[in-house]
Amino acid sequence: MNNRETFRLLVIGFISLTIVIGIGRFLFTPILPYMEIGTSQSFSALGMLATWNYIGYFIGAFAARTIQPTGTSMILLLVTNGLMTVLMGLMDDYFMWILFRLLSGISSGFIFVFATNLVLGRFVQLNQTQYSGYLYSGVGFGILLSGGFTPFITNSVNWSFTWLFFGLISLLLTVIVAFMMNVMPRDKTETTFTARVPSKYHSKKKKIALYLSYLFEGFGYIIYATFITGLLANNNVSFEPSYIWAIVGLGAIPSCIVWSWLGKKISASKALKYAYFIQILAVFIPVLSQHLLLIVLSAFLFGGTFLGIITLTMNISKQFKDSKNLVSGLTAIYALGQIIGPSVASLFIKFIHFQFSFLLAGFALVLSFIIVAASFTSNAPFHSKFNRD
């Protein structure tokens, strides 16, 4: 794979994940407190919009198992995602919001699986997984944009305009993806989608363990990702809660690159254990204190691990037989955890207290850590004669 092809693949994947995950999904986190103030909806009702988004993500990821992606389908899905973000700012009806978040989630699930198979499959095949971190850094970049600009735009205009603004940004970024796909040779793109990757893992127990750990990760991380700004706003902290989401993005951007490098150095499974351990610390910090420095540390550590866990889990998944379907299956089980997480957390928030939902998230992540630690013992980095450039 020449440098030009590598660059184009990374740009396509990076921007695609910026659009559908960094903005399409996670813009909701910093804007949630403003919507609670500016609408007649309760916090728990607005929180359920996140659940509908994750239901859509589950549908999209699961359906991607049986659909062969094309450049045209990716562009249509990216356009759909951007339009759903725009419409969130143009409409003021709760049931329409449910539809928009559902369709946004469906397109996100498809694109995540397609982009991962497109880019990561090629990198693993050529033993270049150290580049995979650049792909998932797109999510962190989108989070940094949404977290950094949402307070300014919303306070200057209103929350509706913030949805509209970022939706238009997504559509503009889609134009860049379309251009990059157009200049890539068709046969190169199709080969990448169907790239054969040699298998390292064959054990069904390891595959089940990967599914279970990723299910609990989806459940645990999404509670933090959805409700951290709400927790801080509810506790009347002395700083702008939405800016904390920008700190998450700041930690996320370089984290994927670091974890990819570490996974290459000591093995993805061992690096995954470290990532889970650090994320557990990040999630428990807000339970103990909302001091600014500690919350900043929590946000940075969370941002520095949740995309790393995705990166490492996807790297491991590409080393199983039938890895294409495994990527889709893992993305779907991750989405299932994300569907359950906000629903359960909303009940805890409504009837008990915010902090208890974060405790629940932390314990779910502890289970993920235990499963990975017990199922993936020390493994040497993956090398194969088939993985040479």
Side-chain angles (χ1 to χ4, degrees), residues 102 208 337:
L102 179 69
I208 292 171

Side-chain angles (χ1 to χ4, degrees), residues 14 18 22-23 136-146 173 249 252-253 307:
F14 181 96
T18 296
I23 295 175
Y136 298 110
S137 291
V139 178
F141 179 67
I143 290 173
L144 179 61
L145 286 179
S146 63
L173 291 174
I253 293 174
L307 288 181

Side-chain angles (χ1 to χ4, degrees), residues 36-96:
E36 183 187 15
I37 296 171
T39 70
S40 59
Q41 301 297 328
S42 66
F43 191 89
S44 58
L46 291 171
M48 284 303 296
L49 291 175
T51 298
W52 283 105
N53 185 251
Y54 306 139
I55 290 172
Y57 191 74
F58 174 84
I59 294 170
F62 191 81
R65 294 169 65 92
T66 58
I67 297 176
Q68 178 64 32
T70 64
T72 300
S73 64
M74 281 194 68
I75 296 303
L76 288 175
L77 288 164
L78 288 171
V79 170
T80 298
N81 193 273
L83 285 176
M84 293 307 104
T85 303
V86 168
L87 289 172
M88 282 294 294
L90 294 179
M91 300 286 187
D92 193 18
D93 181 85
Y94 184 80
F95 293 101
M96 293 302 295

